[in-house]
Amino acid sequence: ETGVTQSPTHLIKTRGQQVTLRCSSQSGHNTVSWYQQALGQGPQFIFQYYREEENGRGNFPPRFSGLQFPNYSSELNVNALELDDSALYLCASSGAGTGGDEQYFGPGTRLTVT
Amino acid sequence: GQQLNQSPQSMFIQEGEDVSMNCTSSSIFNTWLWYKQDPGEGPVLLIALYKAGELTSNGRLTAQFGITRKDSFLNISASIPSDVGIYFCAGRRGDWGNLIFGKGTKLSVKP
């Protein structure tokens, strides 16, 4: 069984640029959730995707957007990057169709905005 | 964003000691989860709890879903050096949807 994978591992971007982060869900899982984890904090929910549709969203502005593909992999896109966007971005997959099962996390992508 | 109240923030203990940490909320949750995160890694699920009053064990780890549904506890018995890391509680209000996390308890174990 393949776990959740994310790419890239690390990324450095300049303020104002755009970034795309990728996630492959665990085998058999069809729901992907994205979280932002600032240094010293717990993860904060960004949004969740189920069957290629956004299925819930946290308190993040519209410049945070996402996609889910037919193979259940997902992308997180952030436009007009700000310094405060520097964080660890975590992807979690679950299998109940609507996130009802336990969520399993990938290793994360460390984004630094300068 | 909302976070759960997790305590203590950090703990320094001797190898072999038992550890207790807890998480509280002003809201009711239907699910409580406990995760461990090592530096540079994503959180790893340790225990999931689905019923008020439920007590669940995973090796030396035991977690409880509080009767009021507003709190949860995690105990680690006979700690070992590899228990070092940050432990997060997470709650979910409904049967599905996003998790709300605590700020974490950083555990350090002296051999």
Side-chain angles (χ1 to χ4, degrees), chain A residues 72 78 113:
Chain A
Y72 307 127
V78 188
V113 182

Side-chain angles (χ1 to χ4, degrees), chain A residues 11-15 17-20 81 83 111-114:
Chain A
L11 205 49
I12 299 174
K13 289 285 190 178
T14 304
R15 193 171 51 182
Q17 286 187 316
Q18 178 264 341
V19 69
T20 297
L81 283 166
L83 296 178
L111 173 65
T112 302
V113 182
T114 62

Side-chain angles (χ1 to χ4, degrees), chain B residues 11-27:
Chain B
M11 303 181 76
F12 295 85
I13 62 168
Q14 201 75 35
E15 184 177 355
E17 288 183 352
D18 296 345
V19 171
S20 289
M21 58 191 79
N22 70 77
C23 203
T24 61
S25 168
S26 56
S27 310

Side-chain angles (χ1 to χ4, degrees), chain A residues 67-79:
Chain A
L67 282 174
Q68 188 180 31
F69 300 99
N71 66 354
Y72 307 127
S73 66
S74 178
E75 283 182 358
L76 164 65
N77 299 292
V78 188
N79 293 324

Side-chain angles (χ1 to χ4, degrees), chain A residues 35 37 40-45 48 55 88 90 98-108, chain B residues 1-3 33 35 37 40-43 45 48 50 88 92 95-99 101-103:
Chain A
Y35 292 81
Q37 187 178 23
Q41 302 292 318
Q44 293 282 328
F45 175 69
Q48 183 180 83
N55 189 42
L88 181 68
L90 295 162
T98 52
D101 279 352
E102 298 94 331
Q103 295 184 13
Y104 294 88
F105 284 84
Chain B
Q2 181 186 359
Q3 287 193 320
L33 303 165
Y35 288 87
Q37 187 174 29
E41 302 288 329
L45 181 64
Y50 299 104
F88 288 98
R92 184 169 60 222
D95 291 332
W96 58 273
N98 62 289
L99 299 176
F101 281 81
K103 286 192 174 183

